[in-house]
């Protein structure tokens, strides 16, 4: 089971001029096994939604609720959220100097499972995950995100998704900056993840391109901190043809 | 600043006016007792030095000294004429009162002599185990690596001591020498030490300073070159706890063409009153064309109440250089790094542990002596357990 319910979520960030409201009441439910795409123009609050669900300290929740299978996500620490089954693939993965990818993956897997993975199967699993994402076997010896190309960073995020195998994955602009080959490799990884039973995906993107590879069940148009419209996959086609003007012009 | 003009002009190869490195003298009388206002003493807590910087009596040593002797290497305490001949063998002309006093007063010298062409795989490990910090004492160590030899010497300082020390290193032409000095003292130790190295033509020198223990540890580590093509890598790792003062002063004096220096020091601080100082001086003299130098210092501040001073100084007297650069950064835990790790389920404590390990990891891996690398990883672990992770 994996049901992520977001109700009337309101979020502010601190600025020089005081707190600024970014999310103005977001309501969204991802039922068992559903993939939802959130699309919207720059600055509409898409990434804020992703990071505030994951618990980034920069954001202050001022109202609303987020629950995962009925559990209060907002009451959990960042790492508790991950251990409860949330995963955020980041738009800008962070460098951790001196910490190798293999050490990082093993530490994360141990934390998520509550016990160290069996060495033999784990090494095999890691190698398989890296290979499926076209990452060199020596990748494990490199320091986390240090000197990675943009494509390597995103493929590394998806390798983590597959190895940690959460209940719900939030993908924050995983497609941005990828060439067509890398986009396919990354999309295949996401599709392998969601082919499993009951996995939820919240796919945040600026472009419709990735939706040709990952077909969503629902599409939400995000404008000015709230959902302006929602529909099926056909809504993405409409956005492709018409852009966001119709939504953003209403704000002016 | 502390010497007369006549002495200064007599000693300088090509005179460089700088407050950073006063010219030296073997005559103790040429060095007035520092007041703490001098550039080279202003960071050091003189009151805690037990007079080692001034006129504390050098008493019979209370530090036990033992070593292993790999085949072909001579390790011995020497005295008399032989010891006297070794004073200043690295080209050292003391620029501090304590170094001048050590050379003037020590009755004997510990000599590690690696003959020319010897390839010694087993490190020479000298254990200096202090037994009484109430005894102020002096020590002189000479490490001589013969032409085209290859060897590693470890000086392991532990226990209780109040020591003024001069370590002179001579790296022969084409030799590959590593010197690792561990300051793993007990809390009451005071250690003032000056390491002076002469790097031979086309020689490769690695100097590693590791300072964890002691009340006050101050190391001056200087390098000069005995010909073109020499290369020096100066690595350092330090971890200051509450109340500790750990000071490292590096000086790469490029006085020969096509020489290299690469300095990388990393430190962590935790606890009230922990103070670290890193001074990285590089001088590129007129004659030193085509040299390369890079120096870097990074500090990780793990708790409130600590203070890290970090000062790179680069003086360039010639325009004909291959590369010269420096970097210095002092920071707390990076919130974005911690968030990234925690978003993968790793709890706060483990995330911090990973970040600190990572911070030191690359440096530790460069030491090149596996037993010491392993020991340092455990020491880092123990330091973390002591303070920063305790309350989480």
């Amino acid at each position: 089971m994996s049901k992520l319910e977001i109700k009337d979520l309101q979020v502010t960030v601190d600025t020089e001029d005081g707190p600024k409201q970014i999310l103005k009441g977001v309501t969204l439910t991802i039922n068992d096994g559903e993939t939802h795409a959130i699309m919207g123009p720059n600055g509409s609050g898409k990434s804020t939604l992703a990071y505030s669900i994951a618990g980034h300290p920069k954001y202050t929740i001022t109202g609303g609720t987020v629950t995962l299978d009925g559990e209060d996500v907002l009451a959990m620490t960042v790492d508790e959220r991950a251990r409860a089954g949330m995963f955020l693939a980041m738009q800008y993965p962070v460098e951790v100097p001196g910490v190798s990818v293999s050490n990082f993956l093993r530490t994360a897997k141990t934390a998520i499972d509550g016990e160290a993975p069996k060495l033999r199967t784990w090494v095999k699993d890691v190698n398989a995950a890296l290979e499926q994402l076209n990452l060199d076997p020596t990748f494990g010896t490199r320091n986390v995100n240090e000197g990675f190309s943009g494509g390597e960073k995103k493929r590394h995020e998806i390798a983590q998704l597959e190895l940690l195998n959460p209940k719900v994955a939030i993908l924050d602009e995983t497609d941005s900056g990828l060439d067509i080959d890398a986009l396919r490799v990354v999309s295949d990884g996401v599709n392998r993840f969601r082919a499993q039973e009951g996995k939820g995906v919240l796919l945040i993107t600026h472009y419709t391109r990735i939706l040709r590879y990952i077909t969503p069940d629902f599409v939400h148009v995000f404008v000015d901190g709230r959902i302006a419209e929602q529909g099926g996959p056909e809504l993405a086609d409409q956005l492709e043809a018409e852009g966001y003007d119709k939504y953003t012009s209403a704000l002016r | 600043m502390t010497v007369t003009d006549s002495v200064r002009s007599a000693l300088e190869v090509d005179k460089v006016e700088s407050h950073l490195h006063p010219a030296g003298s073997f005559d103790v009388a040429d060095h007035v007792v520092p007041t703490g206002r001098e550039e080279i003493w202003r960071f050091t807590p003189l009151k805690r030095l037990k007079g080692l910087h001034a006129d504390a009596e050098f008493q019979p040593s209370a530090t036990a000294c033992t070593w292993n002797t790999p085949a072909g290497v001579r390790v011995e305490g020497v005295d008399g004429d032989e010891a006297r001949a070794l004073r200043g063998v690295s080209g050292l002309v003391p620029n501090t009162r304590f170094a001048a006093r050590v050379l003037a007063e020590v009755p004997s010298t510990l000599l590690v002599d690696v003959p020319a062409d010897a390839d010694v795989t087993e490190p020479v490990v000298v254990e200096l185990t202090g037994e009484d910090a109430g005894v102020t004492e002096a020590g002189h160590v000479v490490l001589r690596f013969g032409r085209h030899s290859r060897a590693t010497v470890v000086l392991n300082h532990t226990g209780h001591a109040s020591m003024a020390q001069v370590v002179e290193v001579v790296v022969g032409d084409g030799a590959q020498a590593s010197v690792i000095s561990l300051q793993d003292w007990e809390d009451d130790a005071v250690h003032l030490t000056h390491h002076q190295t002469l790097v031979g033509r086309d020689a490769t020198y690695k100097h590693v300073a590791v300072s964890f223990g002691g009340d006050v540890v101050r190391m001056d580590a200087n390098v000069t070159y005995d010909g073109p093509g020499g290369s020096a890598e100066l690595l350092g790792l330090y971890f200051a706890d509450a109340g500790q003062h750990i000071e490292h002063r590096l000086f790469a004096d490029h006085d020969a063409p096509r020489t290299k220096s690469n300095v990388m020091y990393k430190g962590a601080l935790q606890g009230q009153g922990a103070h670290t100082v890193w001074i990285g001086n590089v001088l590129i003299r007129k004659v030193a064309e085509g040299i390369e130098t890079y120096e870097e210092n990074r500090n990780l501040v793990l708790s409130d109440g600590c203070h890290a001073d970090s000062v790179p100084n680069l003086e360039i007297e010639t325009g004909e250089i291959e590369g010269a650069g420096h970097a210095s950064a002092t920071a707390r835990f990076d919130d974005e790094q911690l968030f990234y790790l925690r978003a993968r389920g790793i709890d706060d404590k483990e995330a911090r542990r990973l970040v600190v390990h990572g911070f030191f990891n690359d440096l530790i891996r460069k030491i090149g002596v596996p037993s010491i690398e392993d020991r340092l990883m455990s020491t880092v672990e123990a330091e973390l357990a002591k303070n920063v992770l305790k309350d989480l």
Side-chain angles (χ1 to χ4, degrees), chain B residues 10-30:
Chain B
L11 290 169
E12 281 284 317
V13 190
D14 52 338
K15 193 169 154 183
V16 176
E17 284 297 338
S18 171
H19 66 296
L20 296 173
H21 23 75
S25 165
F26 285 99
D27 188 348
V28 174
D30 286 336

Side-chain angles (χ1 to χ4, degrees), chain A residues 135-160:
Chain A
L135 292 165
D136 198 84
T138 62
F139 195 76
T141 65
R142 294 172 66 184
N143 291 336
V144 172
N145 292 317
E146 207 177 59
F148 289 12
S149 69
E152 283 174 332
K153 283 182 183 169
K154 298 302 177 69
R155 283 181 279 154
H156 178 226
E157 293 293 287
I158 301 306
Q160 293 171 51

Side-chain angles (χ1 to χ4, degrees), chain A residues 51 56 77-79 82-83 87-88 90 94-95 97-99 104 107-108 111-112 143 145 157 160, chain B residues 266 334-348 350 354-355 357-359 361-362:
Chain A
Y51 279 81
H56 194 286
T77 63
V78 175
D79 45 290
R83 292 198 295 273
F87 179 88
L88 170 63
M90 298 191 200
V94 182
E95 290 182 9
V99 176
F104 164 65
T107 306
I112 298 276
N143 291 336
N145 292 317
E157 293 293 287
Q160 293 171 51
Chain B
K266 285 189 168 186
D334 181 340
D335 286 342
E336 296 301 325
Q337 271 179 7
L338 293 178
F339 174 73
Y340 186 75
L341 295 169
R342 295 183 65 196
R344 299 302 178 249
I346 300 166
D347 67 32
D348 194 39
E350 182 70 10
L354 263 186
V355 168
H357 267 271
F359 177 73
N361 201 14
D362 289 353

Side-chain angles (χ1 to χ4, degrees), chain A residues 142-217:
Chain A
R142 294 172 66 184
N143 291 336
V144 172
N145 292 317
E146 207 177 59
F148 289 12
S149 69
E152 283 174 332
K153 283 182 183 169
K154 298 302 177 69
R155 283 181 279 154
H156 178 226
E157 293 293 287
I158 301 306
Q160 293 171 51
L161 167 67
E162 292 201 74
L163 287 164
L164 302 179
N165 203 17
K167 290 180 176 174
V168 177
I170 301 171
L171 311 176
D172 185 23
E173 303 210 15
T174 296
D175 53 329
S176 64
L178 293 184
D179 65 28
I180 190 77
D181 294 328
L183 181 64
R184 250 187 226 124
V185 167
V186 159
S187 302
D188 287 349
V190 175
N191 285 329
R192 281 192 297 272
F193 167 72
R194 69 193 193 114
Q196 303 172 91
E197 189 159 333
K199 301 292 186 184
V201 174
L202 183 62
L203 192 155
I204 292 169
T205 181
H206 186 71
Y207 307 102
T208 53
R209 184 174 74 137
I210 194 172
L211 304 182
R212 283 183 231 136
Y213 300 95
I214 304 171
T215 311
D217 300 301

